[in-house]
Amino acid sequence: MKKLPLLLAGLAMAGSANAAVLQFDFTAKIQEMVQFSPLTFSGGMVSSSNLSGNTISVGDVVSGHFTYDTATAQITNVGGITMFSSAQAQNVLSAAIGSQQLGLTDTLSNTTTVQVANNAAALRGADSFGIANVSANGQSSQMMALSLFDSTGLAFSGNTVPTTLDFSAFNNSAFYYTYSSVSTHAMMGANGALTSLTVTTVPSGGNPITPVPEPETYAMLLAGLGLLGWTARRRQAR
């Protein structure tokens, strides 16, 4: 969808200018999916998948929430794209389809990262805000991500974690989900546009400190996101 009909988060957070943690609820609708086996180099667009143990289909409605801590430490800044992550920060992204939680159980690693882009060269001068959760257990790895994108490059004036989000400043939004099996390396991915995003109450308390995933986990799941983008571009080119 081109623009979300939402109120400004800054107005909703009026009177809480010093709040360190912001929380939001969202819904999204799955629009396309892909499944792929790197061992046989086979796969493509699908209408549903049960690779993760839950059946996920095109048309499913995803509901979830995320929080981010405005004081989260910066870890990288490359080409105008800055990433923030800390085990102690209250950065959380969770989602479900009906009663099916997308989160993994018995995780060996679990971390949530915030990304801010301001006039990023890699995005041709665009701005973006993203939050992604990467987790893994002995059987699988997965990533959930939410992204807001402003092609005009006017949404942000800097690369710090935003203390407010002006949703009307973004002209595109998306939810992404990728899953990979440790034993077979088979991957599935799904994405779709946000259908709602609202400010909710600020949570209290902290989050458990968990190990950060190995670089190979990020690489595997980012490959799944890349595959989604490749198949979408190929479909548009037809």
Side-chain angles (χ1 to χ4, degrees):
M1 64 192 299
K2 296 298 183 182
K3 185 175 289 187
L4 295 173
L6 302 170
L7 297 177
L8 302 186
L11 295 177
M13 297 298 293
S16 303
N18 295 323
V21 178
L22 306 183
Q23 179 171 319
F24 306 84
D25 291 328
F26 70 90
T27 59
K29 188 174 183 178
I30 300 300
Q31 296 176 322
E32 59 184 3
M33 297 179 60
V34 65
Q35 189 162 316
F36 180 75
S37 172
L39 297 181
T40 60
F41 206 72
S42 61
M45 303 299 293
V46 295
S47 59
S48 66
S49 171
N50 60 4
L51 181 66
S52 66
N54 295 324
T55 300
I56 302 173
S57 304
V58 172
D60 281 349
V61 174
V62 178
S63 60
H65 77 274
F66 67 92
T67 66
Y68 69 87
D69 191 332
T70 59
T72 305
Q74 175 181 318
I75 55 174
T76 63
N77 186 342
V78 179
I81 300 178
T82 308
M83 298 185 71
F84 305 84
S85 186
S86 171
Q88 292 80 16
Q90 295 187 55
N91 300 322
V92 177
L93 172 61
S94 63
I97 298 176
S99 61
Q100 302 179 76
Q101 292 291 327
L102 296 183
L104 296 178
T105 59
D106 302 321
T107 56
L108 301 175
S109 59
N110 188 358
T111 190
T112 302
T113 302
V114 174
Q115 176 182 290
V116 177
N118 177 48
N119 301 135
L123 302 177
R124 298 184 179 181
D127 289 357
S128 74
F129 172 85
I131 184 165
N133 173 267
V134 178
S135 60
N137 58 23
Q139 294 75 44
S140 56
S141 301
Q142 72 170 27
M143 179 170 67
M144 294 182 289
L146 182 148
S147 173
L148 300 172
F149 185 83
D150 166 37
S151 59
T152 69
L154 300 176
F156 295 134
S157 59
N159 285 80
T160 58
V161 179
T163 56
T164 61
L165 281 176
D166 181 352
F167 302 123
S168 66
F170 298 92
N171 54 21
N172 201 0
S173 65
F175 173 81
Y176 301 93
Y177 174 71
T178 65
Y179 177 95
S180 177
S181 167
V182 170
S183 59
T184 68
H185 303 293
M187 302 177 183
M188 65 81 61
N191 65 20
L194 296 184
T195 52
S196 71
L197 184 59
T198 55
V199 181
T200 56
T201 57
V202 177
S204 61
N207 296 314
I209 298 175
T210 52
V212 175
E214 295 295 326
E216 292 81 0
T217 300
Y218 281 108
M220 183 181 300
L221 295 169
L222 288 173
L225 281 175
L227 181 63
L228 274 174
W230 176 76
T231 53
R233 287 193 299 271
R234 185 180 66 172
R235 188 177 64 177
Q236 291 171 356
R238 289 177 178 174

